[in-house]
Amino acid sequence: MSTEPYYRPDLAVVHERGYGFHGEQVAPGILALLEPVRGGLIVEIGCGTGALTRHLLAAGHRVLATDASPAMLSVARETLGPSAELARLSLPDDPVPAADAIVSVGHPVSYLACADDIDRALVAMAGALRPGGVLAIDVCDLEWGAARGAAPNLGRVGPDWAVITEFSMPAPDTFVRDITTFVPDGHGAWRRDSEHHENVLVDSSRIPDLLRSCGVSARVGSSFGDER
């Protein structure tokens, strides 16, 4: 088992092959929010393998897609092509480029170490937003954790991948996924890897006031378009 960060190469491949539908589902709602900043720069935080990025590019937006995982960015380079602008960015410490819009789906900020780090990341995003810009992010909150606390373990299989996810909540503000992946090793067998993912759950009702203190008007919703 490797000790590298979240989303190592095997899970990145599984994410691309088995979970792109999330990008498809949130894209219509995100694109509608971005209409006022068409022609500006969109910075995507936590782009993963490009599930949402490809929809932003197809709609004609200029996008700088960022992620903390080198493996995710490597797959994104393969799927999006050489013209895509990609960069590694790890919140809350790396500076967020100035942007006309910042989008983040798949709750990447929930992977930060603590609630204070999430606040720092949100403040950094707000500070990077140009006047009149749009900030659209999702986050795992306490209510979401309460609803998912009893989620059954999950197994999914594709033609050339398999994944087993075990869920747990060791604390009211911590949601854990223990993820085991299987992908072909190129020699007629399957390679296994395991990752331990911890998400920090926050009180999302606090976020509008935090962003308002940075000059950003915000509200909490439950979906982007039809994707809850």
Side-chain angles (χ1 to χ4, degrees):
M1 183 189 305
S2 173
T3 57
E4 295 176 18
Y6 293 130
Y7 289 103
R8 299 190 295 268
D10 288 355
L11 184 55
V13 167
V14 170
H15 191 276
E16 166 62 20
R17 296 176 182 174
Y19 291 87
F21 63 90
H22 287 300
E24 296 176 4
Q25 291 172 346
V26 301
I30 294 290
L31 289 172
L33 291 173
L34 294 177
E35 277 302 315
V37 295
R38 179 167 291 280
L41 174 64
I42 299 169
V43 172
E44 184 180 4
I45 304 292
C47 67
T49 60
L52 174 62
T53 318
R54 58 176 56 94
H55 293 279
L56 301 177
L57 294 172
H61 290 288
R62 180 191 169 200
V63 183
L64 173 60
T66 73
D67 203 279
S69 163
M72 290 287 235
L73 289 172
S74 178
V75 176
R77 287 188 183 95
E78 295 177 5
T79 60
L80 298 174
S83 63
E85 295 183 67
L86 301 169
R88 188 176 183 188
L89 188 149
S90 296
L91 292 173
D93 296 319
D94 289 348
V96 179
D100 299 287
I102 298 173
V103 299
S104 179
V105 301
H107 55 269
V109 298
S110 298
Y111 275 90
L112 299 180
C114 61
D116 286 345
D117 280 357
I118 293 175
D119 284 354
R120 287 175 58 203
L122 295 172
V123 168
M125 292 184 207
L129 203 63
R130 294 185 179 121
V134 173
L135 174 62
I137 65 171
D138 64 7
V139 62
C140 296
D141 67 2
L142 295 168
E143 185 178 350
W144 179 90
R148 289 293 304 275
N153 297 334
L154 177 67
R156 296 187 62 213
V157 178
D160 53 1
W161 58 272
V163 61
I164 299 169
T165 306
E166 300 173 85
F167 304 103
S168 62
M169 284 192 66
D173 63 350
T174 306
F175 189 83
V176 171
R177 298 175 178 89
D178 285 297
I179 305 172
T180 302
T181 57
F182 300 87
V183 298
D185 67 356
H187 303 285
W190 290 75
R191 181 174 61 247
R192 172 178 174 166
D193 194 18
S194 296
E195 297 193 22
H196 178 80
H197 290 208
E198 292 193 8
N199 292 144
V200 175
L201 311 182
V202 298
D203 179 0
S204 60
S205 68
R206 295 177 48 252
I207 293 177
D209 284 343
L210 175 66
L211 293 176
R212 192 174 298 113
S213 70
C214 304
V216 176
S217 175
R219 63 180 177 83
V220 176
S222 61
S223 67
F224 289 124
D226 295 330
E227 170 71 350
R228 297 185 62 81

